[in-house]
Amino acid sequence: MWASGFHGFNYFDDVRILDYVPFNTPLFWDSFENGLGHWTVFNGTPGTDDAHAFSGTLSYATDEDRDAIQTTFRPAVTGKVAVIRFYDDASDTSLTPHAFVDNGVNVVAIGVNSAVSATHYVYRIGATTAVSSVARSTGWHTFALDYR
């Protein structure tokens, strides 16, 4: 799931589910060039935007409170690595965008939570949120959620 909890724009692109790192042929890939057809709206009115794109011309943009999309794999995809490209405007300290993976046991997330740290990326495993040692910076970043 990709979600945002505060006003402002956040962008996600090139979502991949992989067997392992380094990158191999993905089991799932979406660059949002064809819209949000692989996704279910979880909350808000999500859409794509051409202001920032990692590859191609579009990215998924969270542009309102609580925008969120999700996809469910049947059968369940477990023991993989989810790789997400995330555009961060580090000057905006009101954001809370996260990429989530739920393996059925623990929710794992990575992103921005300005209430926890306006200057560093945060991660969540289960109910525990922690501040990473990686400082926020403006531009595209690659987040990898390894739930093997």
Side-chain angles (χ1 to χ4, degrees):
M1 177 188 309
W2 286 260
S4 176
F6 288 94
H7 292 292
F9 276 91
N10 303 289
Y11 303 92
F12 298 89
D13 205 348
D14 286 353
V15 177
R16 297 176 178 157
I17 305 296
L18 308 165
D19 279 321
Y20 60 89
V21 175
F23 306 119
N24 63 333
T25 303
L27 302 170
F28 173 84
W29 180 77
D30 195 352
S31 66
F32 303 105
E33 291 302 302
N34 296 313
L36 300 173
H38 293 113
W39 304 91
T40 302
V41 174
F42 185 75
N43 202 32
T45 53
T48 57
D49 192 281
D50 63 1
H52 295 283
F54 182 79
S55 65
T57 59
L58 296 173
S59 60
Y60 163 55
T62 57
D63 60 357
E64 64 186 13
D65 282 358
R66 305 293 176 194
D67 265 354
I69 59 174
Q70 67 181 16
T71 192
T72 303
F73 297 100
R74 300 279 183 237
V77 175
T78 59
K80 306 298 181 209
V81 179
V83 179
I84 301 97
R85 310 280 189 214
F86 168 69
Y87 184 86
D88 185 14
D89 176 357
S91 67
D92 189 338
T93 58
S94 67
L95 303 176
T96 63
H98 282 76
F100 291 87
V101 173
D102 184 349
N103 66 2
V105 178
N106 276 316
V107 172
V108 178
I110 190 167
V112 175
N113 186 337
S114 296
V116 175
S117 175
T119 59
H120 287 74
Y121 295 104
V122 300
Y123 60 94
R124 177 178 154 192
I125 300 173
T128 303
T129 299
V131 177
S132 79
S133 61
V134 180
R136 289 182 62 195
S137 63
T138 297
W140 282 102
H141 306 282
T142 301
F143 290 159
L145 298 154
D146 187 341
Y147 57 106
R148 291 176 288 175

